[in-house]
Amino acid sequence: MSQTAKDLTAGTTGGIGQVLVGQPFDIVKVRMQTSAKGTYSGMLDCAGGILRNEGPLAFYKGTLTPLLGIGACVSIQFGVLEYTKRYFTAQNTRGGIGAEQSAALSTPQLLVAGALAGLGNGFVSGPVEHIRIRLQTQSNTNPVYRGPFDAIKKIATKYGIRGIYKGQNVTFLREATGYGVYFWTYEKLVQREMAQKGIRREQISPGSAILYGAAAGYALWAVIYPIDMVKSRMQTDGFSPSDGQKYRSTLHCVRTVWKTEGISAFTRGLGPTLIRSPFANGATFLGFEMANRLLNSF
């Protein structure tokens, strides 16, 4: 198996872990982001309403899409990240830097590697999250879509590929910005422990992978949460004025939300995100590191 294939496989493992751990928190976040001001008094009110009105399985509504899609997304993230890291390491070596130092990439190199990973991921995460959000926010009693494949079929038939990729511009902005910071945070923490303890990467404990993944997750959301809120609004908006479209563009969405709901709307739903983040991102990096070690041991 090639190194790239190993990276993609390990990334898929991390992505599956992320979805299974984070999905219940994500549906609460999306409901709070896309609801009108005053709909919920807080995170617990939103979660309690879902539980009472839709039952416990509602917290995993729309899970099939991200389970398949996010697995692919995280696979792409790590595949692009690790390929770019190897490219920069080789570049450093050609520049006369020693083997050990060449692998310790600089901040600009890690930010670029992470941003490229995010952009590569965005081609898949955009439509995956769009379909998931449509399923998460539709009526439970009179649903428009019977499932992810029905949603894809109906949206593509009526609105074409542009309908599937609705909100894609803001998705690319979120991915490039967020994942640059995300992977930089994780890799710098890994580099620090390796330097302090004089150990190799594969000797870092699973607990450290979880802890550093949690820190990376917090760094990610600190940068992208307002962008993510705008993305959610764009992806739940109507496709045209005839079916209730409120926002003509990403910038129009930002201006409208700011004017009608105030700055607090850009952080609505942050609570469940902050609770979800350390578990989901810790699981992501743990899954990747452990799977990568296993695959590289053969």
Side-chain angles (χ1 to χ4, degrees), residues 43-270:
M43 175 185 68
L44 294 179
D45 180 44
C46 179
I50 294 171
L51 183 62
R52 286 192 306 274
N53 300 324
E54 303 173 50
L57 292 180
F59 289 102
Y60 281 91
K61 184 183 289 186
T63 299
L64 179 60
T65 307
L67 197 58
L68 298 174
I70 300 301
C73 287
V74 179
S75 175
I76 292 168
Q77 286 172 29
F78 280 103
V80 174
L81 176 79
E82 295 299 320
Y83 181 88
T84 310
K85 282 168 57 183
R86 287 193 293 273
Y87 171 82
F88 282 135
T89 298
Q91 189 179 63
N92 291 347
T93 302
R94 287 194 299 271
I97 301 173
E100 187 173 328
Q101 289 76 23
S102 67
L105 303 183
S106 66
T107 289
Q109 288 174 328
L110 288 172
L111 288 172
V112 169
L116 290 175
L119 288 172
N121 166 66
F123 286 99
V124 180
S125 68
V128 165
E129 293 191 13
H130 178 208
I131 299 302
R132 175 175 66 177
I133 286 173
R134 292 285 174 187
L135 293 171
Q136 287 177 332
T137 56
Q138 70 177 347
S139 168
N140 195 50
T141 55
N142 188 28
V144 177
Y145 310 113
R146 296 190 302 273
F149 299 111
D150 183 54
I152 292 168
K153 181 181 177 182
K154 286 180 177 176
I155 292 170
T157 299
K158 194 169 183 180
Y159 304 105
I161 193 69
R162 291 186 64 182
I164 296 294
Y165 276 89
K166 185 173 175 59
Q168 191 63 24
N169 290 338
V170 70
T171 297
F172 279 137
L173 175 62
R174 184 194 70 168
E175 304 294 62
T177 305
Y179 285 105
V181 172
Y182 182 66
F183 286 115
W184 170 79
T185 301
Y186 183 81
E187 292 294 332
K188 280 297 181 184
L189 289 169
V190 168
Q191 286 180 10
R192 179 168 167 260
E193 181 171 340
M194 289 168 61
Q196 286 181 340
K197 297 182 179 178
I199 59 176
R200 300 187 305 276
R201 187 182 184 107
E202 59 268 24
Q203 293 176 300
I204 291 175
S205 71
S208 290
I210 294 171
L211 182 63
Y212 299 157
Y218 279 129
L220 170 79
W221 287 108
V223 171
I224 71 164
Y225 195 82
I227 305 173
D228 185 68
M229 188 284 299
V230 175
K231 183 193 74 72
S232 293
R233 291 294 182 99
M234 293 293 293
Q235 291 185 329
T236 53
D237 194 23
F239 291 92
S240 65
S242 63
D243 61 8
Q245 184 181 41
K246 294 185 289 186
Y247 311 118
R248 296 189 301 272
S249 66
T250 298
L251 187 57
H252 182 241
C253 176
V254 172
R255 288 173 173 169
T256 302
V257 173
W258 183 287
K259 183 177 179 180
T260 59
E261 301 178 50
I263 194 170
S264 63
F266 292 91
T267 57
R268 190 181 301 152
L270 184 58

